């Protein structure tokens, strides 16, 4: 097991290197740069000398590999992700708090999705083709079909109209710029349920279907009959054997959850005015704010890789067949 | 219900049907069999004749949408009481106390009948802890001795092995160890050697026979392999389309078969002394689709001794040739006056 984990960690290094190159390359691909878009948007003409000074400072005229080297060596050696052109602040100032909040929302959403969908999926598979199964299936498909931002608008209306809650954002107005304190954490928690439900709905619906399909496959396996023939009760049998095996694919799906939570819910986050990384990435790409966009893409990629590693290790621990293969 | 102490299991007119959306499949449609203490009963027949469903009906683990519609499964418990398994709630506590304790079952594919993510030991210990009042440590000790009993080498190490780490033969031995964990009175073996190669098959058969001699348990052995039958059976039931067509002791079935289907099965065994170029006998036709069950005797479209107007019209009843030898065939029942026709020789 330890060797397995060590080997996987060693494999991470070249993957991270390649991913960082691709991330940098991608943000260089569109024609023009931040200065070009700044000039085109500016209402007054900008002094050419000023533009040249900026160009000089960020090294925009140097070859791409020099730019890449400057960027990546800064990140690795000093934790310096460069400056955001648009905000005129270091990228690291902008992303860490947002990343923290994103993580909080992500973990709560993930927990919500699993807690809701796994029991419903099990019920739906065990009682297949009953009224209960059909009801759950219909609700599941509706959940899949409704766009998240629409659900966000509806729930925001309900929360404001009937519960009198300040909607949008993760904090009440009093707490937005307040330093961290117990009250601020409680305020965060009281605002969290709305984005968690909205971001989790589609995932819940999808996971119910996955859990149901996985379990249906396992329920008809011979080892279930064999356990039944030993005299095990139906409930113990269900959780010890087929549910246990059916959960494995969900664990491997963890790998996709992390990146999707960082970048996937941009539109919903904009609607809900969440201080997460999604909207930030969206704006930085529009403005060609290359160091900010590059850093975010790099972080998303790193999270994907770490997510894959975590899910692989979990899976190896859950399923003894993995290590041999 | 039989009242002698020697009969462990007595199945009377068992019918297990599957209620699918397309129609009712009569997988088992009137099976009779009887098994004495310490004996081996082989149930033989082609694929789809209802052998496995019969076996599963006894343990009440028939998969949905199947269920027992009628019939009686009389089983004599360890303390002497007779119970009718067919009347039990398949999800209830009573049948669970029978499963694994009084009646155990092993299946055709040892790979898929063991859990892929649990050790062999955990599955043996589960069976022990379910039925016997012992501690975990005692259960583990018992599990090791069970693996010894089924001749798995290095038993205490293999206890923590997973099914995918064992060979096919070892897996089936492990399954047998689980089945024997609580010393059941009856072992149901549903084609336990079909997925194994011939050498391993012979080893497993020897093992089952040895264990049976030591413990005195009865074995209900499901197979389509007449070679296996000749080797291990005391009694034989031949099934066709969900019915017993002929039953008797193994000598009678092999040397004096009466039903045309039994005869055809025996003739299709390749022989050592057949000459080169001689064609192998094969039964004509195929097993009919379950929704299109022939009227009368279900075997008549494939039968060499078919009597028009009789076999396709009348349902043959069981006819006893001698004690323990019965046949369901209109050849042996009178046309009108129900007196015996001339027996074909």
């Amino acid at each position: 097991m330890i060797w397995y984990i060590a080997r996987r960690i060693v494999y991470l290094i070249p993957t991270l290197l390649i991913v960082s190159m691709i991330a940098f390359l991608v943000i260089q691909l569109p024609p023009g740069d931040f200065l070009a878009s700044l000039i085109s948007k500016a209402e007054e003409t900008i002094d050419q000398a000023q533009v040249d000074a900026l160009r000089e400072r960020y090294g925009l005229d140097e070859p791409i590999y020099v730019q890449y080297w400057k960027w990546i060596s800064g990140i690795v050696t000093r934790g310096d992700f460069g400056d955001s052109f648009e905000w005129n602040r270091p990228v690291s100032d902008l992303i860490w708090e947002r990343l923290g909040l994103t993580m909080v929302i992500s973990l709560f959403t993930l927990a919500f999705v699993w807690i809701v969908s796994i029991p419903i999926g099990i019920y739906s598979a065990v009682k297949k083709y009953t009224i209960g199964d059909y009801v759950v299936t219909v609700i599941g498909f509706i959940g899949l079909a409704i766009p998240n931002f629409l659900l966000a608008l509806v729930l925001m209306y309900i929360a404001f109209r009937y519960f009198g809650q300040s909607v949008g954002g993760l904090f009440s107005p009093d707490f937005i710029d307040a330093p961290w304190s117990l009250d601020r954490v409680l305020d965060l928690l009281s605002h969290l349920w709305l984005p968690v439900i909205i971001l989790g709905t589609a995932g819940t619906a999808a996971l119910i279907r996955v859990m149901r399909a996985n379990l249906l496959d396992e329920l008809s396996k011979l080892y279930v009959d064999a356990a039944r023939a030993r005299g095990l009760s139906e409930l113990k049998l269900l959780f010890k054997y087929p549910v246990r095996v059916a959960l494995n694919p969900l664990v491997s799906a963890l790998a996709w959850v992390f990146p999707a939570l960082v970048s996937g819910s941009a539109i919903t986050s904009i609607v809900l005015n969440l201080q997460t990384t999604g909207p930030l990435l969206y704006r930085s790409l529009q403005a060609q704010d290359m160091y900010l966009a590059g850093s975010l893409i790099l972080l998303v990629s790193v999270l994907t890789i770490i997510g894959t590693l975590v899910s692989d290790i979990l899976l190896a621990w859950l399923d003894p067949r993995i290590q041999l293969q | 219900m039989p009242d002698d102490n020697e009969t462990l299991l007595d199945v009377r007119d068992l019918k297990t049907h599957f209620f699918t959306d397309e129609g009712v499949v009569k997988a088992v449609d009137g099976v009779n069999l009887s098994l004495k203490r310490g004996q081996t009963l082989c149930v033989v027949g082609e694929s789809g004749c209802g052998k496995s469903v019969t076996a599963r009906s006894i343990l009440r683990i028939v998969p949905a949408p199947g269920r027992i519609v009628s019939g009686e499964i009389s089983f004599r418990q360890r303390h002497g009481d007779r119970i009718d398994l067919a009347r039990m709630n398949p999800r209830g506590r009573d049948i669970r106390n029978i499963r694994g304790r009084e009646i155990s079952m092993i299946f055709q594919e040892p790979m898929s009948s063991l859990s892929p993510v649990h050790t062999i030991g955990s599955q043996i210990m589960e069976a022990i802890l379910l039925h016997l009042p012992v501690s975990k440590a005692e259960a583990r000790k018992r599990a090791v001795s069970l693996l010894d009993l089924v001749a798995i080498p290095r038993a205490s190490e293999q206890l923590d092995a997973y099914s995918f780490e064992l060979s096919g033969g070892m897996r089936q031995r492990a399954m047998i160890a689980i089945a024997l964990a609580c010393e059941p009175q009856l072992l149901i073996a549903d084609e336990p050697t079909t997925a194994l190669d011939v050498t391993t098959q012979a080893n497993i058969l020897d093992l089952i026979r040895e264990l049976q001699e030591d413990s005195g348990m009865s074995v209900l052995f499901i197979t389509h392999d007449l070679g296996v039958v000749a080797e291990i059976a005391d009694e034989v039931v031949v099934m066709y389309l969900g019915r017993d067509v002929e039953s008797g002791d193994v000598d009678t079935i092999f040397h004096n078969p009466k039903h045309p289907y039994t005869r055809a099965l025996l003739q299709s065994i390749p022989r050592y002394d057949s000459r080169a170029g001689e064609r192998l006998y094969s039964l004509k036709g195929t097993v009919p689709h379950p929704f299109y069950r022939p009227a009368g005797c279900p075997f008549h479209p494939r039968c060499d001794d078919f009597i028009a107007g009789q076999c396709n019209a009348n349902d043959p009843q069981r006819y006893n040739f001698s004690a323990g030898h019965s046949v369901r065939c209109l050849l042996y029942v009178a046309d009108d006056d129900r007196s015996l026709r001339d027996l074909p020789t």
Side-chain angles (χ1 to χ4, degrees), chain A residues 126 218 221-234 236 240-241 244-245 248 318-322 324, chain B residues 56 59 61 91 96 99-100 103 105 107 109 112-118 122-123 126-127 130-131 162 164 175 178:
Chain A
V126 173
E218 296 302 325
K221 294 266 172 80
L222 208 50
Y223 68 82
V224 180
D225 283 333
R228 188 173 288 133
R230 287 200 279 281
L232 214 57
S233 73
E234 292 295 322
K236 274 190 198 161
K240 182 168 178 187
Y241 295 103
R244 169 72 206 281
V245 178
N248 286 0
L318 270 177
D319 190 337
R321 290 169 293 184
I322 302 285
L324 286 186
Chain B
R56 282 165 174 262
L59 264 189
I61 53 169
R91 301 170 74 93
R96 293 209 302 271
R99 291 176 189 156
I103 307 175
M105 185 158 175
F107 297 86
E109 289 164 50
S112 42
S113 50
L114 289 162
S115 161
V117 295
H118 294 86
S122 86
Q123 290 167 82
E126 176 184 85
L130 267 173
H131 298 293
Y162 292 94
F164 58 87
M175 272 311 290
I178 297 173

Side-chain angles (χ1 to χ4, degrees), chain A residues 295-316:
Chain A
S295 305
L296 285 171
I297 290 175
L298 183 68
L299 281 174
V300 170
S301 316
V302 169
L303 281 176
T304 313
I305 293 168
I306 292 175
T308 312
L309 179 72
V310 170
S311 77
D312 281 0
I313 290 172
L314 269 179
L315 207 56

Side-chain angles (χ1 to χ4, degrees), chain B residues 91-327:
Chain B
R91 301 170 74 93
R93 183 177 296 277
D94 290 343
I95 189 70
R96 293 209 302 271
N97 288 335
I98 301 280
R99 291 176 189 156
R101 179 75 182 101
E102 304 252 10
I103 307 175
S104 286
M105 185 158 175
I106 54 178
F107 297 86
Q108 183 169 349
E109 289 164 50
M111 181 67 199
S112 42
S113 50
L114 289 162
S115 161
V117 295
H118 294 86
T119 59
I120 305 296
S122 86
Q123 290 167 82
I124 303 181
M125 283 163 64
E126 176 184 85
I128 298 170
L129 291 169
L130 267 173
H131 298 293
L132 302 178
V134 295
S135 70
K136 269 200 161 164
E138 288 169 308
R140 193 180 165 86
K141 253 168 80 184
R142 196 183 163 98
V144 173
S145 61
L146 279 161
L147 288 189
D148 267 333
L149 186 71
V150 297
I152 289 184
R154 294 177 292 117
S156 52
E157 283 171 49
Q158 297 293 353
L159 204 61
D160 297 316
Y162 292 94
S163 63
F164 58 87
E165 295 171 319
L166 300 178
S167 68
M170 286 301 147
R171 279 178 207 140
Q172 196 59 287
R173 282 171 194 269
M175 272 311 290
I176 295 174
I178 297 173
L180 297 184
C182 301
E183 295 171 348
Q185 296 196 76
L186 171 61
L187 176 69
I188 300 176
D190 186 1
E191 306 210 31
T193 57
T194 308
L196 306 173
D197 65 69
V198 189
T199 322
T200 319
Q201 176 175 331
N203 292 337
I204 295 288
L205 288 180
D206 286 345
L207 174 69
I208 292 177
R209 204 161 35 191
E210 278 168 30
L211 292 169
Q212 187 180 12
E213 274 165 23
D214 294 345
S215 66
M217 68 177 175
S218 311
V219 176
L220 180 68
F221 201 102
I222 314 268
T223 183
H224 59 249
D225 186 338
L226 288 166
V228 171
V229 177
E231 203 169 327
I232 65 163
D234 297 308
E235 302 279 329
V236 181
V237 170
V238 182
M239 279 184 72
Y240 187 78
L241 278 188
R243 286 191 180 176
D244 54 311
V245 292
E246 182 161 8
S247 43
D249 65 70
V250 64
D251 287 334
T252 313
I253 295 294
F254 275 86
H255 297 120
N256 190 17
K258 293 299 181 196
H259 198 285
Y261 180 61
T262 316
R263 294 176 179 200
L265 279 184
L266 287 166
Q267 270 178 41
S268 29
I269 303 175
R271 298 172 64 92
Y272 290 118
D273 52 2
S274 56
R275 266 165 303 178
E278 195 177 310
R279 288 190 69 86
L280 215 57
Y281 177 83
S282 82
L283 248 164
K284 68 180 179 190
T286 52
V287 181
H289 189 277
F291 291 141
Y292 304 106
R293 233 187 135 77
C297 170
F299 186 60
H300 81 258
R302 305 176 71 186
C303 186
D304 289 334
D305 303 311
F306 168 61
I307 311 165
Q310 268 292 347
C311 296
N312 51 359
N314 298 327
D315 208 359
Q317 299 303 306
R318 273 158 65 95
Y319 172 75
N320 287 323
F321 266 96
S322 57
H325 185 199
S326 67
V327 178

Side-chain angles (χ1 to χ4, degrees), chain A residues 17-70:
Chain A
L17 196 69
I18 293 169
V19 158
S20 74
M21 288 179 186
I22 293 173
F24 196 77
L25 205 66
V26 164
I27 56 174
Q28 297 281 1
L29 279 180
D33 52 31
F34 173 72
L35 291 178
S37 61
L38 185 72
I39 293 165
S40 70
K41 268 190 252 163
E43 286 166 7
E44 301 164 30
T45 45
I46 295 177
D47 187 6
Q48 188 60 38
Q50 206 183 331
V51 172
D52 288 344
L54 282 169
R55 204 170 277 282
E56 177 73 18
R57 185 174 143 208
Y58 292 114
L60 293 184
D61 287 331
E62 290 180 68
I64 187 167
Y65 57 87
V66 176
Q67 292 187 36
Y68 169 74
W69 179 248
K70 276 189 176 171

